[in-house]
Amino acid sequence: MAYKNIVILTGAGISAESGVATFRDAGGLWEGHRVEDVATPQAFRRDPDMVQQFYNARRAQLPSVDPNPAHYALAKLEGELVGDVLIITQNVDDLHERAGSKNIIHMHGELNKVRCLGCGAVHDWLADCHRESPCPTCEAEGQLRPDIVWFGEMPMFMDRITRALSTCDLFLSIGTSGNVYPAAAFVAEVGRTGYAESVEINLEPSLGASLFDTCLHGKAGTLVPKFVQEILEA
Ligand code: OAD
């Protein structure tokens, strides 16, 4: 079948072969802290330096990692499909952009951006961010935070996402464990429309695997290019 409107949800597993650690495969620990204890508004209020350091380390890693064949295959799909392709990524890295994808929603924010708690401005930010870093817009110190969705906060762009899920004819989920909502519920939401097919590509069955029409288990870097080729040849 030739798809016309494809929505792709990606998670940490698509960047794993690029060398970016997933959240849960290694126990989800960072220097002895549970990720859930670092990525929260409460943690930022309690210890902003520790939280900034966590994101500074992840931001500093970005230039040393590259997109892998799965990212490139999705960019090729967007470029060659006669129809629409939207990537909704839970990832805060920039590997989809660097592979050439254009239509991307970062529902959990982006490592390369900071937001001012004072004036609300969002700025591109490639260097380390510290407590004393002033906001380029309002110049206040101590107000910049990573532009990342933390536990307990609402993911970004949910209206656009809900609309996209209700009109797609293929929902493809790649490299996500299905632990974090609302992303974990997208497959059920798509299922309710009755006309979209759903496919999971993941190293192992995700928590929501039984809700997908088709599950392909293995490495994204191998399976995604193959799957994309099949779609483009259909
Ligand atoms: P997880 O770390 O929970 O899950 C990654 C999934 O990728 C696992 O199911 C792995 O089996 C799979 N995987 C690992 N290597 C793979 C490979 N080479 N090819 C295919 N699959 C592979 O990451 P997410 O589901 O993305 O949120 O986590 C969701 C959210 O939880 C993250 O966005 C983050 C975290 O808390 C926030 O920061 C708000």
Side-chain angles (χ1 to χ4, degrees), residues 11-13 16-17 22-25 90-91 108 149 151 175-180 202-204 218-220:
E17 288 160 75
T22 62
F23 287 91
R24 294 178 178 80
D25 288 328
Q90 299 170 87
N91 298 342
H108 289 167
V149 175
F151 287 93
T176 178
S177 62
N179 272 283
V180 173
N202 204 48
L203 200 54
E204 61 199 356
K219 289 189 168 183

PDB file of all heavy atoms in Angstrom, residues 11-13 16-17 22-25 90-91 108 149 151 175-180 202-204 218-220, ligand 1:
ATOM      1  N   GLY A  11      12.341   7.434  19.685  1.00  0.00           N
ATOM      2  CA  GLY A  11      12.828   7.500  21.061  1.00  0.00           C
ATOM      3  C   GLY A  11      14.325   7.233  21.090  1.00  0.00           C
ATOM      4  O   GLY A  11      14.979   7.113  20.032  1.00  0.00           O
ATOM      5  N   ALA A  12      14.838   7.115  22.288  1.00  0.00           N
ATOM      6  CA  ALA A  12      16.283   7.025  22.485  1.00  0.00           C
ATOM      7  C   ALA A  12      16.930   5.893  21.677  1.00  0.00           C
ATOM      8  O   ALA A  12      18.094   5.984  21.291  1.00  0.00           O
ATOM      9  CB  ALA A  12      16.579   6.845  23.965  1.00  0.00           C
ATOM     10  N   GLY A  13      16.172   4.823  21.400  1.00  0.00           N
ATOM     11  CA  GLY A  13      16.740   3.667  20.692  1.00  0.00           C
ATOM     12  C   GLY A  13      17.225   4.008  19.294  1.00  0.00           C
ATOM     13  O   GLY A  13      18.140   3.368  18.779  1.00  0.00           O
ATOM     14  N   ALA A  16      20.757   5.189  19.668  1.00  0.00           N
ATOM     15  CA  ALA A  16      21.676   4.316  20.413  1.00  0.00           C
ATOM     16  C   ALA A  16      22.896   3.937  19.575  1.00  0.00           C
ATOM     17  O   ALA A  16      24.036   3.962  20.057  1.00  0.00           O
ATOM     18  CB  ALA A  16      20.937   3.062  20.883  1.00  0.00           C
ATOM     19  N   GLU A  17      22.660   3.613  18.285  1.00  0.00           N
ATOM     20  CA  GLU A  17      23.791   3.204  17.442  1.00  0.00           C
ATOM     21  C   GLU A  17      24.686   4.383  17.043  1.00  0.00           C
ATOM     22  O   GLU A  17      25.747   4.187  16.452  1.00  0.00           O
ATOM     23  CB  GLU A  17      23.272   2.460  16.205  1.00  0.00           C
ATOM     24  CG  GLU A  17      22.753   1.080  16.545  1.00  0.00           C
ATOM     25  CD  GLU A  17      21.813   0.527  15.487  1.00  0.00           C
ATOM     26  OE1 GLU A  17      22.287   0.110  14.420  1.00  0.00           O
ATOM     27  OE2 GLU A  17      20.588   0.541  15.728  1.00  0.00           O
ATOM     28  N   THR A  22      20.758   5.349  25.860  1.00  0.00           N
ATOM     29  CA  THR A  22      19.308   5.389  26.064  1.00  0.00           C
ATOM     30  C   THR A  22      19.043   5.644  27.552  1.00  0.00           C
ATOM     31  O   THR A  22      19.967   5.666  28.360  1.00  0.00           O
ATOM     32  CB  THR A  22      18.645   4.060  25.636  1.00  0.00           C
ATOM     33  OG1 THR A  22      19.163   3.026  26.455  1.00  0.00           O
ATOM     34  CG2 THR A  22      18.893   3.758  24.176  1.00  0.00           C
ATOM     35  N   PHE A  23      17.772   5.861  27.886  1.00  0.00           N
ATOM     36  CA  PHE A  23      17.462   6.213  29.269  1.00  0.00           C
ATOM     37  C   PHE A  23      17.427   5.000  30.179  1.00  0.00           C
ATOM     38  O   PHE A  23      17.845   5.048  31.325  1.00  0.00           O
ATOM     39  CB  PHE A  23      16.105   6.925  29.344  1.00  0.00           C
ATOM     40  CG  PHE A  23      16.201   8.318  28.811  1.00  0.00           C
ATOM     41  CD1 PHE A  23      15.966   8.576  27.478  1.00  0.00           C
ATOM     42  CD2 PHE A  23      16.564   9.355  29.631  1.00  0.00           C
ATOM     43  CE1 PHE A  23      16.079   9.858  26.979  1.00  0.00           C
ATOM     44  CE2 PHE A  23      16.687  10.635  29.149  1.00  0.00           C
ATOM     45  CZ  PHE A  23      16.443  10.885  27.810  1.00  0.00           C
ATOM     46  N   ARG A  24      16.888   3.896  29.676  1.00  0.00           N
ATOM     47  CA  ARG A  24      16.587   2.804  30.596  1.00  0.00           C
ATOM     48  C   ARG A  24      17.452   1.561  30.409  1.00  0.00           C
ATOM     49  O   ARG A  24      17.486   0.716  31.280  1.00  0.00           O
ATOM     50  CB  ARG A  24      15.097   2.439  30.488  1.00  0.00           C
ATOM     51  CG  ARG A  24      14.247   3.577  30.987  1.00  0.00           C
ATOM     52  CD  ARG A  24      12.770   3.432  30.913  1.00  0.00           C
ATOM     53  NE  ARG A  24      12.182   4.640  31.503  1.00  0.00           N
ATOM     54  CZ  ARG A  24      12.051   5.812  30.873  1.00  0.00           C
ATOM     55  NH1 ARG A  24      12.414   5.940  29.621  1.00  0.00           N
ATOM     56  NH2 ARG A  24      11.559   6.862  31.493  1.00  0.00           N
ATOM     57  N   ASP A  25      18.198   1.470  29.295  1.00  0.00           N
ATOM     58  CA  ASP A  25      18.952   0.243  29.056  1.00  0.00           C
ATOM     59  C   ASP A  25      20.064   0.017  30.074  1.00  0.00           C
ATOM     60  O   ASP A  25      20.333  -1.096  30.474  1.00  0.00           O
ATOM     61  CB  ASP A  25      19.543   0.238  27.635  1.00  0.00           C
ATOM     62  CG  ASP A  25      18.438   0.031  26.602  1.00  0.00           C
ATOM     63  OD1 ASP A  25      17.466  -0.672  26.926  1.00  0.00           O
ATOM     64  OD2 ASP A  25      18.536   0.596  25.510  1.00  0.00           O
ATOM     65  N   GLN A  90      10.949  12.072  20.815  1.00  0.00           N
ATOM     66  CA  GLN A  90      11.095  12.292  22.259  1.00  0.00           C
ATOM     67  C   GLN A  90      12.545  12.668  22.568  1.00  0.00           C
ATOM     68  O   GLN A  90      12.866  13.021  23.687  1.00  0.00           O
ATOM     69  CB  GLN A  90      10.746  11.018  23.025  1.00  0.00           C
ATOM     70  CG  GLN A  90       9.322  10.545  22.827  1.00  0.00           C
ATOM     71  CD  GLN A  90       9.125   9.156  23.411  1.00  0.00           C
ATOM     72  OE1 GLN A  90       8.829   8.987  24.570  1.00  0.00           O
ATOM     73  NE2 GLN A  90       9.314   8.145  22.581  1.00  0.00           N
ATOM     74  N   ASN A  91      13.392  12.577  21.539  1.00  0.00           N
ATOM     75  CA  ASN A  91      14.817  12.806  21.770  1.00  0.00           C
ATOM     76  C   ASN A  91      15.144  14.291  21.793  1.00  0.00           C
ATOM     77  O   ASN A  91      14.566  15.074  21.049  1.00  0.00           O
ATOM     78  CB  ASN A  91      15.648  12.116  20.688  1.00  0.00           C
ATOM     79  CG  ASN A  91      15.450  10.609  20.712  1.00  0.00           C
ATOM     80  OD1 ASN A  91      14.978  10.074  21.718  1.00  0.00           O
ATOM     81  ND2 ASN A  91      15.791   9.932  19.629  1.00  0.00           N
ATOM     82  N   HIS A 108       9.783  16.647  23.644  1.00  0.00           N
ATOM     83  CA  HIS A 108      10.420  16.765  24.959  1.00  0.00           C
ATOM     84  C   HIS A 108      11.487  17.862  24.982  1.00  0.00           C
ATOM     85  O   HIS A 108      12.339  17.882  25.860  1.00  0.00           O
ATOM     86  CB  HIS A 108      11.037  15.422  25.380  1.00  0.00           C
ATOM     87  CG  HIS A 108      10.002  14.388  25.732  1.00  0.00           C
ATOM     88  ND1 HIS A 108      10.284  13.050  25.877  1.00  0.00           N
ATOM     89  CD2 HIS A 108       8.669  14.506  25.988  1.00  0.00           C
ATOM     90  CE1 HIS A 108       9.172  12.387  26.193  1.00  0.00           C
ATOM     91  NE2 HIS A 108       8.186  13.254  26.254  1.00  0.00           N
ATOM     92  N   VAL A 149      11.566  19.175  28.454  1.00  0.00           N
ATOM     93  CA  VAL A 149      10.387  18.822  29.259  1.00  0.00           C
ATOM     94  C   VAL A 149      10.827  17.874  30.363  1.00  0.00           C
ATOM     95  O   VAL A 149      11.386  16.806  30.088  1.00  0.00           O
ATOM     96  CB  VAL A 149       9.316  18.158  28.369  1.00  0.00           C
ATOM     97  CG1 VAL A 149       8.143  17.678  29.206  1.00  0.00           C
ATOM     98  CG2 VAL A 149       8.846  19.142  27.301  1.00  0.00           C
ATOM     99  N   PHE A 151      10.085  15.605  34.017  1.00  0.00           N
ATOM    100  CA  PHE A 151       9.016  14.778  34.575  1.00  0.00           C
ATOM    101  C   PHE A 151       8.030  15.677  35.318  1.00  0.00           C
ATOM    102  O   PHE A 151       8.441  16.560  36.073  1.00  0.00           O
ATOM    103  CB  PHE A 151       9.591  13.707  35.510  1.00  0.00           C
ATOM    104  CG  PHE A 151      10.296  12.620  34.742  1.00  0.00           C
ATOM    105  CD1 PHE A 151      11.663  12.687  34.513  1.00  0.00           C
ATOM    106  CD2 PHE A 151       9.590  11.552  34.203  1.00  0.00           C
ATOM    107  CE1 PHE A 151      12.309  11.714  33.772  1.00  0.00           C
ATOM    108  CE2 PHE A 151      10.227  10.571  33.454  1.00  0.00           C
ATOM    109  CZ  PHE A 151      11.584  10.647  33.243  1.00  0.00           C
ATOM    110  N   GLY A 175      12.351   2.734  18.421  1.00  0.00           N
ATOM    111  CA  GLY A 175      13.320   2.906  19.508  1.00  0.00           C
ATOM    112  C   GLY A 175      12.785   3.557  20.760  1.00  0.00           C
ATOM    113  O   GLY A 175      13.466   4.360  21.379  1.00  0.00           O
ATOM    114  N   THR A 176      11.577   3.200  21.142  1.00  0.00           N
ATOM    115  CA  THR A 176      11.056   3.746  22.402  1.00  0.00           C
ATOM    116  C   THR A 176      10.457   2.618  23.237  1.00  0.00           C
ATOM    117  O   THR A 176       9.783   1.732  22.710  1.00  0.00           O
ATOM    118  CB  THR A 176      10.058   4.904  22.149  1.00  0.00           C
ATOM    119  OG1 THR A 176       9.546   5.357  23.411  1.00  0.00           O
ATOM    120  CG2 THR A 176       8.923   4.529  21.229  1.00  0.00           C
ATOM    121  N   SER A 177      10.716   2.679  24.545  1.00  0.00           N
ATOM    122  CA  SER A 177      10.347   1.564  25.425  1.00  0.00           C
ATOM    123  C   SER A 177       8.877   1.567  25.823  1.00  0.00           C
ATOM    124  O   SER A 177       8.379   0.596  26.376  1.00  0.00           O
ATOM    125  CB  SER A 177      11.208   1.606  26.693  1.00  0.00           C
ATOM    126  OG  SER A 177      10.956   2.808  27.402  1.00  0.00           O
ATOM    127  N   GLY A 178       8.185   2.689  25.574  1.00  0.00           N
ATOM    128  CA  GLY A 178       6.766   2.752  25.932  1.00  0.00           C
ATOM    129  C   GLY A 178       6.537   2.989  27.413  1.00  0.00           C
ATOM    130  O   GLY A 178       5.468   2.696  27.942  1.00  0.00           O
ATOM    131  N   ASN A 179       7.522   3.563  28.089  1.00  0.00           N
ATOM    132  CA  ASN A 179       7.390   3.824  29.532  1.00  0.00           C
ATOM    133  C   ASN A 179       6.794   5.188  29.830  1.00  0.00           C
ATOM    134  O   ASN A 179       6.285   5.402  30.923  1.00  0.00           O
ATOM    135  CB  ASN A 179       8.782   3.791  30.193  1.00  0.00           C
ATOM    136  CG  ASN A 179       9.174   2.408  30.628  1.00  0.00           C
ATOM    137  OD1 ASN A 179       8.693   1.923  31.639  1.00  0.00           O
ATOM    138  ND2 ASN A 179      10.029   1.762  29.846  1.00  0.00           N
ATOM    139  N   VAL A 180       6.947   6.138  28.887  1.00  0.00           N
ATOM    140  CA  VAL A 180       6.638   7.527  29.214  1.00  0.00           C
ATOM    141  C   VAL A 180       5.421   8.024  28.421  1.00  0.00           C
ATOM    142  O   VAL A 180       5.379   7.926  27.195  1.00  0.00           O
ATOM    143  CB  VAL A 180       7.882   8.419  28.951  1.00  0.00           C
ATOM    144  CG1 VAL A 180       7.542   9.892  29.119  1.00  0.00           C
ATOM    145  CG2 VAL A 180       8.991   8.043  29.932  1.00  0.00           C
ATOM    146  N   ASN A 202      11.787  -1.873  17.210  1.00  0.00           N
ATOM    147  CA  ASN A 202      12.491  -1.701  18.483  1.00  0.00           C
ATOM    148  C   ASN A 202      13.364  -2.941  18.716  1.00  0.00           C
ATOM    149  O   ASN A 202      13.083  -4.019  18.202  1.00  0.00           O
ATOM    150  CB  ASN A 202      11.480  -1.550  19.635  1.00  0.00           C
ATOM    151  CG  ASN A 202      12.055  -0.815  20.824  1.00  0.00           C
ATOM    152  OD1 ASN A 202      12.667   0.248  20.661  1.00  0.00           O
ATOM    153  ND2 ASN A 202      11.889  -1.355  22.017  1.00  0.00           N
ATOM    154  N   LEU A 203      14.408  -2.733  19.516  1.00  0.00           N
ATOM    155  CA  LEU A 203      15.315  -3.845  19.802  1.00  0.00           C
ATOM    156  C   LEU A 203      14.573  -5.026  20.422  1.00  0.00           C
ATOM    157  O   LEU A 203      14.861  -6.181  20.148  1.00  0.00           O
ATOM    158  CB  LEU A 203      16.407  -3.349  20.761  1.00  0.00           C
ATOM    159  CG  LEU A 203      17.693  -4.139  20.844  1.00  0.00           C
ATOM    160  CD1 LEU A 203      18.320  -4.313  19.474  1.00  0.00           C
ATOM    161  CD2 LEU A 203      18.669  -3.428  21.777  1.00  0.00           C
ATOM    162  N   GLU A 204      13.590  -4.704  21.247  1.00  0.00           N
ATOM    163  CA  GLU A 204      12.818  -5.742  21.952  1.00  0.00           C
ATOM    164  C   GLU A 204      11.375  -5.267  22.003  1.00  0.00           C
ATOM    165  O   GLU A 204      11.116  -4.087  21.765  1.00  0.00           O
ATOM    166  CB  GLU A 204      13.371  -5.883  23.376  1.00  0.00           C
ATOM    167  CG  GLU A 204      13.229  -4.570  24.129  1.00  0.00           C
ATOM    168  CD  GLU A 204      14.120  -4.443  25.355  1.00  0.00           C
ATOM    169  OE1 GLU A 204      14.812  -5.391  25.702  1.00  0.00           O
ATOM    170  OE2 GLU A 204      14.069  -3.355  25.952  1.00  0.00           O
ATOM    171  N   GLY A 218      14.711  -5.672  16.383  1.00  0.00           N
ATOM    172  CA  GLY A 218      16.114  -5.716  15.994  1.00  0.00           C
ATOM    173  C   GLY A 218      16.644  -4.296  16.032  1.00  0.00           C
ATOM    174  O   GLY A 218      15.988  -3.390  16.561  1.00  0.00           O
ATOM    175  N   LYS A 219      17.810  -4.082  15.438  1.00  0.00           N
ATOM    176  CA  LYS A 219      18.434  -2.761  15.509  1.00  0.00           C
ATOM    177  C   LYS A 219      17.836  -1.792  14.497  1.00  0.00           C
ATOM    178  O   LYS A 219      17.670  -2.132  13.317  1.00  0.00           O
ATOM    179  CB  LYS A 219      19.939  -2.896  15.259  1.00  0.00           C
ATOM    180  CG  LYS A 219      20.645  -3.556  16.419  1.00  0.00           C
ATOM    181  CD  LYS A 219      22.138  -3.474  16.235  1.00  0.00           C
ATOM    182  CE  LYS A 219      22.830  -3.872  17.528  1.00  0.00           C
ATOM    183  NZ  LYS A 219      24.268  -3.746  17.459  1.00  0.00           N
ATOM    184  N   ALA A 220      17.572  -0.573  14.962  1.00  0.00           N
ATOM    185  CA  ALA A 220      16.982   0.435  14.084  1.00  0.00           C
ATOM    186  C   ALA A 220      17.862   0.703  12.871  1.00  0.00           C
ATOM    187  O   ALA A 220      17.361   0.896  11.759  1.00  0.00           O
ATOM    188  CB  ALA A 220      16.757   1.733  14.865  1.00  0.00           C
TER     189      ALA A 220
HETATM  190  P1  OAD B   1      14.144   4.318  26.683  1.00  0.00           P
HETATM  191  O1  OAD B   1      15.567   4.324  27.125  1.00  0.00           O
HETATM  192  O2  OAD B   1      13.083   4.151  27.709  1.00  0.00           O
HETATM  193  O3  OAD B   1      13.910   3.166  25.618  1.00  0.00           O
HETATM  194  C1  OAD B   1      14.765   2.975  24.525  1.00  0.00           C
HETATM  195  C2  OAD B   1      14.278   1.776  23.760  1.00  0.00           C
HETATM  196  O4  OAD B   1      15.111   1.638  22.624  1.00  0.00           O
HETATM  197  C3  OAD B   1      14.352   0.446  24.539  1.00  0.00           C
HETATM  198  O5  OAD B   1      13.126  -0.247  24.436  1.00  0.00           O
HETATM  199  C4  OAD B   1      15.473  -0.322  23.840  1.00  0.00           C
HETATM  200  O6  OAD B   1      15.240  -1.715  23.793  1.00  0.00           O
HETATM  201  C5  OAD B   1      15.429   0.273  22.448  1.00  0.00           C
HETATM  202  N1  OAD B   1      16.717   0.212  21.731  1.00  0.00           N
HETATM  203  C6  OAD B   1      17.977   0.266  22.228  1.00  0.00           C
HETATM  204  N2  OAD B   1      18.889   0.194  21.250  1.00  0.00           N
HETATM  205  C7  OAD B   1      18.188   0.105  20.082  1.00  0.00           C
HETATM  206  C8  OAD B   1      18.563  -0.003  18.710  1.00  0.00           C
HETATM  207  N3  OAD B   1      19.836  -0.020  18.307  1.00  0.00           N
HETATM  208  N4  OAD B   1      17.569  -0.078  17.780  1.00  0.00           N
HETATM  209  C9  OAD B   1      16.255  -0.073  18.161  1.00  0.00           C
HETATM  210  N5  OAD B   1      15.853   0.011  19.443  1.00  0.00           N
HETATM  211  C10 OAD B   1      16.806   0.110  20.382  1.00  0.00           C
HETATM  212  O7  OAD B   1      13.933   5.663  25.840  1.00  0.00           O
HETATM  213  P2  OAD B   1      12.598   6.394  25.417  1.00  0.00           P
HETATM  214  O8  OAD B   1      11.491   5.439  25.207  1.00  0.00           O
HETATM  215  O9  OAD B   1      12.946   7.332  24.322  1.00  0.00           O
HETATM  216  O10 OAD B   1      11.977  11.898  28.587  1.00  0.00           O
HETATM  217  O11 OAD B   1      12.305   7.247  26.711  1.00  0.00           O
HETATM  218  C11 OAD B   1      11.219   8.123  26.706  1.00  0.00           C
HETATM  219  C12 OAD B   1      11.488   9.313  27.554  1.00  0.00           C
HETATM  220  O12 OAD B   1      11.903   8.923  28.869  1.00  0.00           O
HETATM  221  C13 OAD B   1      12.644  10.183  27.092  1.00  0.00           C
HETATM  222  O13 OAD B   1      12.302  11.089  26.070  1.00  0.00           O
HETATM  223  C14 OAD B   1      12.991  10.926  28.329  1.00  0.00           C
HETATM  224  C15 OAD B   1      12.943   9.801  29.335  1.00  0.00           C
HETATM  225  O14 OAD B   1      12.638  10.162  30.580  1.00  0.00           O
HETATM  226  C16 OAD B   1      12.297  13.111  29.027  1.00  0.00           C
HETATM  227  O15 OAD B   1      13.452  13.470  29.205  1.00  0.00           O
HETATM  228  C17 OAD B   1      11.116  13.992  29.272  1.00  0.00           C
END
